Amino acid sequence: GALYTPDKTEFKLWAPTATKVVLNLYATGSDAEEGAADLGAYEMSQLMDGDKFTGVWTVTVEGDLKNVYYTYSVTSPSRIINGEETTRETQDVYSKATGVNGNRSMVVDLDSTDPEGWETDKHVLFDNRTEAAVWEVHIRDFSVADNSGVSESNKGKYLAFTEGGTTLNSDTSANAVKTGIDYLVEQGINCVQILPMYDFQSVDESKASSSTNRNWGYDPQNYNVPEGSYSSNAYDGNVRITEMKQMIQALHDRGISVVMDVVYNHTFTTEGSCFSRTVPG
């Protein structure tokens, strides 16, 4: 991955079959954004252990690259085109942050994405597994309904979980039905299993969520990046991380444990994935 410090960033990529790897730097996560620009390309070197190639390619770029977007251009023998060499551009398999729709990775300072009080946040653990009252939840569907009582800007988003005092149809009467995180507490839920909240490919993050632009998330694109359609800004790789942390923090503050549903045996596409573009086949 991209190992960031304010003085330099070291990039490492495992691509043992590659014959050449180039690091590409960009100002934005896509060419369609204002301020889009190429920021240079850097040829990477094989990392050696004595006289043996480790399979890792590396390059160090001096200076502060925080929030710079990047891809790799990987040249390797294709398993499709008669073994001829071909070059494919790809996001980093080891991405921690990406731009819109996950096609470019982002150099991220993870400490700078921490919400206030994050340093004291702790997992909610159980002495015995039988103590857990588990609720499986889909982030969008949890709050997106018109009558959920959640603010319009947070409907279907990570931040919906941070809103207390929500009621069905925003009813303020004594008989109001609680919604959102208050509903979980009222029902005695102390553990949520969140359907995939890593970056999945079937939803277009550049468009508003809708009944036709949604998914459960079992079609991963970037396994270690939060899904952008659940954030307030899918174009800034920092925002999705911060807001996911705020969601987790809000649940922990209510005594609710958070379990992340992951499916490493799934992928949206095989041949076009970052895995195949990095190491064909």
Side-chain angles (χ1 to χ4, degrees):
L3 309 176
Y4 168 80
T5 70
D7 300 320
K8 62 184 179 181
T9 299
E10 183 180 13
F11 297 86
K12 290 183 176 181
L13 179 70
W14 187 78
T17 62
T19 57
K20 180 180 179 180
V21 182
V22 174
L23 168 73
N24 311 296
L25 300 183
Y26 299 97
T28 57
S30 69
D31 287 332
E33 298 169 53
E34 184 179 353
D38 291 351
L39 301 181
Y42 299 82
E43 191 163 337
M44 301 178 74
S45 302
Q46 292 182 337
L47 185 64
M48 307 299 290
D49 181 7
D51 59 356
K52 184 180 179 181
F53 176 40
T54 63
V56 174
W57 295 77
T58 184
V59 67
T60 299
V61 180
E62 301 293 330
D64 193 345
L65 297 188
K66 181 180 177 180
N67 301 337
V68 168
Y69 294 85
Y70 71 98
T71 62
Y72 298 115
S73 292
V74 182
T75 302
S76 56
S78 171
R79 68 190 184 101
I80 300 175
I81 314 172
N82 299 321
E84 295 178 8
E85 287 195 339
T86 184
T87 300
R88 294 172 172 152
E89 188 173 7
T90 180
Q91 77 272 30
D92 192 346
V93 171
Y94 304 93
S95 299
K96 300 181 184 72
T98 64
V100 64
N101 286 324
N103 295 318
R104 288 177 181 170
S105 307
M106 193 187 85
V107 178
V108 62
D109 174 11
L110 286 176
D111 288 340
S112 71
T113 67
D114 292 348
E116 184 177 353
W118 183 252
E119 68 278 0
T120 60
D121 182 80
K122 294 181 179 179
H123 293 297
V124 175
L125 302 173
F126 303 108
D127 292 330
N128 298 293
R129 70 184 71 181
T130 53
E131 297 174 21
V134 184
W135 180 285
E136 188 177 49
V137 62
H138 182 274
I139 290 173
R140 177 187 180 275
D141 293 354
F142 180 68
S143 62
V144 78
D146 291 338
N147 61 358
S148 69
V150 171
S151 63
E152 199 62 36
S153 61
N154 287 342
K155 277 185 168 68
K157 307 294 186 180
Y158 297 117
L159 292 182
F161 290 81
T162 68
E163 291 193 26
T166 60
T167 59
L168 193 66
N169 291 313
S170 300
D171 184 3
T172 58
S173 73
N175 297 321
V177 177
K178 294 180 180 180
T179 61
I181 198 167
D182 288 351
Y183 176 79
L184 296 180
V185 173
E186 182 181 62
Q187 296 301 310
I189 302 302
N190 62 13
C191 180
V192 292
Q193 177 176 323
I194 298 181
L195 268 67
M197 52 186 174
Y198 48 62
D199 183 44
F200 49 89
Q201 196 167 338
S202 54
V203 171
D204 185 348
E205 296 175 353
S206 69
K207 299 178 181 178
S209 170
S210 68
S211 59
T212 58
N213 192 37
R214 68 173 293 283
N215 203 288
W216 282 0
Y218 293 99
D219 54 319
Q221 182 176 6
N222 297 292
Y223 291 81
N224 298 311
V225 177
E227 166 59 23
S229 67
Y230 299 148
S231 73
S232 63
N233 182 358
Y235 289 87
D236 184 339
N238 296 289
V239 174
R240 59 181 76 194
I241 300 174
T242 296
E243 292 179 352
M244 178 191 273
K245 288 178 176 179
Q246 288 176 284
M247 174 188 69
I248 294 168
Q249 185 179 42
L251 288 162
H252 285 170
D253 286 348
R254 297 296 191 100
I256 299 173
S257 185
V258 180
V259 175
M260 178 177 176
D261 188 344
V262 293
V263 283
Y264 293 115
N265 58 319
H266 288 227
T267 186
F268 177 81
T269 183
T270 301
E271 196 54 49
S273 71
C274 53
F275 295 101
S276 181
R277 288 176 179 269
T278 303
V279 185

